């Protein structure tokens, strides 16, 4: 391939756009982790073989299968078959989308493929039984489904609509246009100012202004600097970053390139937990293709700018989501936080100034540079502009990955997008921000979700996990679950977190087993305050939020355990949920529904429940079509 420069890159983009415009019939199969677990890759193979058997030309991405040209125009009418990233509607997977009609088919199985080809691909008809149905209404078009219609997808826009492994599809969607603008038209100071003016705040939990962080690194003395992407998504039930890494990896690369230009860096790392093998594979593929096109490496697009990008796999420690623990892990040390200051912008990876943001933050950057800071600020609230991706799980009708403007309310998310509470039950609470967040109640349903509003309530957005709970949930058990998670994940470096969370877990376990006392409630509050004020890192300081919020809003349930010695919601949780191996068919539906990832197993084999993780929310019991879930 000739050496890539700006002119050749634009020619390739024009070809990619033209080739994309010729794609008259597309079959997009969701190839995110959830749908792959449900068998979507088998659907892909079957569509590929069956379409060819019927005499249809089969195209993969923007290139006809078997051809060697970078981008070719089709040589006739055919079917364009794509493995896309996560569509977000995980509850309904495996998902198959037909374009240009915009038809979305749900729960597609191998036996449905022939009918889709016969009716939709060849005749243009709709397979009614595979459409999403809500309150007796079937929705043929993807865009009309309330779950999608009420979102505002900008960071997730390409997830589910392009082939995640095809760089030409990303180029056809104006990929790397923002990087070109930053590289050829903007100074480092102008880049940092544009991000600062946009009001973009880190989507990893803390909400620190990204532009201020970049500018701080830019102003450090000349020398080695790093750009690091935090893809270590450890919150139970959260999968926003994973879906972006799997479905639109080039947006992360482009955002990091722009950050490197602004901060003055020539090397970067994407830190991903090893439990995300598909994300790791697609990131590596994207990096390799970007290197082939001289969008990464030395003298990018014929300029003096160089940037090398590496993928580093973590061992899955929750504490490595904290900045200094993450950089220690990349360096080959045990992932443990250090005392600050100095901050990461001064003393980060290998003691050098470092820009550290998460996946969602970097993915928003190309859109800001391309469309302008004013555009970004027009979305969301004044103090929290833009959108936020959430993983919606728990006792809600429609679980999945969503994106809404900052300032959207819980009512809009849970009832308009999520379809309300399962089985007509009452909403009770939502855990926001994972183990580092708190529980919000019915009185908070109309409160805008943004960084500052939640902070006033003692909660936080965190990375974006939302676990919805209905009227049957024991909130004391929820607090015990999250404390158990935090205690297990404590790095052990500081006494308040290492020993304090252990004592709190012991107290909560006594209370759940109806063996606690009123003095235990006072002790929980005292320990919570002490740990929050004295723990070394942000994770330890926020570890008690689930306990503090449940004590505040659901104190009556604690009193039921310690005074009445009986909880109407759990009977002390001495009973546990189990899966009957004789009845379980291994469909995997319960595993996809579980907000705590407490269920494991292989397809068509009996599954099992980890009773330590299970909070008895009932999500698995309510969705099992075989009645295999029982109490023991």
């Amino acid at each position: 391939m000739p050496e890539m420069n700006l002119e050749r890159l634009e020619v390739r983009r024009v070809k990619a756009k033209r080739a994309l415009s010729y794609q008259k019939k597309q079959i997009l199969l969701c190839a995110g982790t959830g749908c792959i677990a449900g068998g979507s890759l088998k659907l892909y193979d079957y569509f590929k073989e069956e379409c060819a058997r019927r005499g249809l030309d089969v195209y993969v991405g923007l290139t006809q299968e078997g051809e060697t040209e970078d981008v070719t125009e089709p040589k006739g009418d055919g079917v364009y078959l794509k493995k896309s990233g996560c569509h977000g509607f995980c509850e309904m997977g495996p998902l198959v989308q037909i374009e240009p009609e915009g038809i979305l088919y749900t729960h597609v199985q191998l036996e449905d493929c022939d009918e889709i080809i016969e009716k939709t691909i060849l005749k243009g008809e709709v397979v009614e039984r595979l459409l999403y149905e809500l309150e007796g209404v079937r929705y043929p078009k993807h865009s009309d489904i309330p779950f999608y219609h009420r979102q505002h997808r900008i960071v997730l826009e390409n997830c589910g609509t392009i082939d995640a492994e095809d760089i030409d599809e990303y180029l056809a969607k104006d990929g790397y246009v923002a990087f070109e603008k930053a590289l050829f038209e903007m100074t480092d100071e102008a880049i940092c100012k544009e991000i600062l003016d946009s009001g973009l705040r880190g989507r990893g939990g803390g909400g620190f202004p990204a532009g201020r962080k970049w500018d701080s690194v830019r102003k450090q003395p000349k020398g080695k600097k790093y750009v690091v992407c935090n893809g270590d998504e450890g919150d139970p039930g959260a999968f926003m970053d994973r879906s972006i890494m799997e479905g639109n990896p080039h947006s992360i690369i482009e955002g990091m390139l722009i950050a490197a230009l602004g901060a003055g860096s020539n090397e970067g790392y994407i830190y991903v937990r090893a439990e995300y093998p598909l994300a790791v594979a697609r990131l590596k593929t994207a990096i390799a293709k970007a290197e082939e096109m001289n969008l990464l490496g030395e003298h990018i697009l014929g300029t003096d700018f160089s940037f090398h990008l590496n993928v580093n796999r973590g061992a899955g420690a929750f504490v490595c989501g904290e900045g200094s623990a993450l950089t220690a892990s990349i360096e080959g040390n045990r992932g443990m936080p250090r005392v600050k200051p100095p901050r990461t912008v001064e003393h980060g990876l290998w003691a050098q100034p470092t820009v550290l943001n998460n996946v969602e933050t970097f993915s928003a950057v190309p859109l800001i540079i391309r469309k302008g800071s004013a555009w970004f600020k027009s979305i969301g609230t004044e103090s929290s502009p833009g959108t936020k991706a959430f993983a919606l799980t728990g006792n809600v009708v429609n679980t999945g990955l969503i994106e809404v403007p900052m300032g959207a309310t819980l009512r809009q998310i849970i009832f308009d997008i999520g379809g309300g509470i399962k089985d007509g039950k009452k909403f009770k609470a939502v855990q926001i921000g994972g183990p580092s967040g708190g529980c919000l109640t019915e009185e908070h349903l109309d409160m805008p979700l943004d960084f500052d509003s939640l902070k006033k309530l003692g909660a936080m957005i965190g990375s974006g996990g939302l676990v919805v709970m209905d009227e049957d949930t024991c909130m004391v058990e929820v607090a015990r679950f999250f404390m158990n998670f935090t205690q297990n994940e404590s790095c052990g470096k500081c006494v308040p977190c290492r020993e304090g969370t252990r004592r709190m877990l012991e107290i909560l376990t006594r209370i759940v087993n109806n063996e606690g006392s009123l003095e235990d409630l006072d002790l929980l509050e005292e320990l919570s305050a002490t740990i929050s004020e004295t723990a070394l890192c942000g994770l330890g300081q926020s570890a008690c939020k689930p306990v503090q919020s449940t004590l505040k809003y659901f104190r009556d349930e604690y009193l039921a355990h310690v005074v009445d010695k009986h909880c109407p919601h759990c009977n002390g949780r001495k009973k546990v949920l189990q899966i009957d191996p004789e009845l379980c068919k291994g469909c995997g539906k319960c595993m996809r529904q579980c907000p705590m990832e407490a269920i494991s197993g292989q397809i068509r084999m009996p599954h099992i429940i980890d009773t330590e993780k299970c909070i008895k929310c009932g999500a698995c019991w309510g969705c099992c079509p075989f009645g295999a879930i029982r109490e023991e």
Side-chain angles (χ1 to χ4, degrees), residues 257 266 290-291 294-300 305-309:
L257 280 164
N266 64 3
E291 288 174 340
N294 193 219
L295 290 166
L296 285 173
E298 293 291 322
H299 302 292
I300 294 173
F305 174 63
S306 301
F307 187 69
H308 296 270
L309 191 54

Side-chain angles (χ1 to χ4, degrees), residues 122 147 178 188 228 370 491 510 529 541 568 570 593:
L122 296 177
F147 178 83
D188 54 357
V228 177
R370 180 156 53 91
C491 74
R510 284 204 305 270
Q541 292 162 10
C570 67
Q593 289 297 312

Side-chain angles (χ1 to χ4, degrees), residues 269-286:
Y269 286 83
I270 305 177
Y271 186 87
V272 192
R273 52 182 43 223
E275 291 97 324
Y276 286 178
L278 183 60
V280 170
R282 288 187 177 164
L283 283 168
K284 288 184 174 180
T285 297

Side-chain angles (χ1 to χ4, degrees), residues 124-316:
E125 300 174 359
V126 175
V127 183
E128 293 282 339
R129 64 183 180 83
L130 295 176
L131 298 177
Y132 173 72
E133 184 175 343
L134 178 65
E135 297 178 348
V137 179
R138 285 178 172 169
Y139 294 86
K141 287 188 175 293
H142 161 277
S143 57
D144 291 337
I145 296 173
F147 178 83
Y148 291 108
H149 181 67
R150 290 163 178 164
Q151 294 185 46
H152 189 160
R153 295 166 76 90
I154 58 173
V155 170
L156 299 179
E157 184 179 8
N158 286 338
C159 290
T161 62
I162 67 172
D163 185 335
E165 298 184 354
D166 190 338
I167 191 171
D168 287 299
E169 287 222 26
Y170 185 70
L171 290 175
K173 296 286 188 177
D174 290 323
Y176 292 105
V177 166
F179 170 58
E180 294 170 24
K181 179 180 178 181
L183 180 60
F184 292 102
E185 301 176 23
M186 302 176 73
T187 64
D188 54 357
E189 184 177 2
I191 292 170
C192 294
K193 185 177 185 302
E194 188 75 4
I195 299 302
L196 188 60
D197 289 347
S198 73
L200 175 65
R201 298 172 66 170
R203 280 2 187 200
F208 190 83
R212 192 187 305 172
K213 183 181 292 186
W214 295 16
D215 203 44
S216 296
V217 174
R218 182 185 71 85
K219 291 176 179 177
Q220 295 299 313
K222 290 187 179 298
K224 187 72 173 179
K225 299 175 183 178
Y226 293 95
V227 175
V228 177
C229 177
N230 183 353
D232 188 67
E233 189 174 42
D235 291 6
F239 52 96
M240 298 75 59
D241 290 352
R242 186 192 74 195
S243 296
I244 296 171
M245 290 186 284
E246 292 175 357
N248 197 16
H250 285 286
S251 67
I252 305 164
I253 296 172
E254 186 175 8
M256 294 183 72
L257 280 164
I258 294 168
L261 282 168
S265 169
N266 64 3
E267 188 171 5
Y269 286 83
I270 305 177
Y271 186 87
V272 192
R273 52 182 43 223
E275 291 97 324
Y276 286 178
L278 183 60
V280 170
R282 288 187 177 164
L283 283 168
K284 288 184 174 180
T285 297
I287 289 171
K289 291 186 176 181
E291 288 174 340
E292 288 175 9
M293 293 181 60
N294 193 219
L295 290 166
L296 285 173
E298 293 291 322
H299 302 292
I300 294 173
L301 299 181
T303 68
D304 292 333
F305 174 63
S306 301
F307 187 69
H308 296 270
L309 191 54
N310 313 281
V311 175
N312 189 284
R313 288 182 295 175

Side-chain angles (χ1 to χ4, degrees), residues 330-383:
I330 293 176
E331 293 167 1
N333 301 314
R334 182 177 175 184
M336 301 176 80
R338 59 169 174 78
V339 176
K340 294 178 281 292
R343 300 290 177 184
T344 305
V345 295
E346 304 159 346
H347 185 97
L349 186 61
W350 282 296
Q352 301 301 318
T354 301
V355 168
L356 174 59
N357 286 119
N358 85 322
V359 166
E360 190 180 347
T361 311
F362 279 123
S363 292
V365 167
L367 296 167
I368 295 170
I369 297 297
R370 180 156 53 91
K371 297 186 178 184
S373 57
W375 164 81
F376 191 76
K377 289 206 75 169
S378 70
I379 307 168
T381 67
E382 184 177 354
S383 64

Side-chain angles (χ1 to χ4, degrees), residues 94-119:
L95 298 166
V96 175
Q97 190 166 324
I98 310 296
E99 294 293 348
E101 295 87 349
I103 298 170
L104 183 69
Y105 290 133
T106 62
H107 298 309
V108 180
Q109 302 299 316
L110 276 175
E111 53 267 27
D112 301 319
C113 295
D114 285 327
E115 190 174 1
I116 292 173
I117 295 172
E118 184 67 32
K119 286 189 175 181

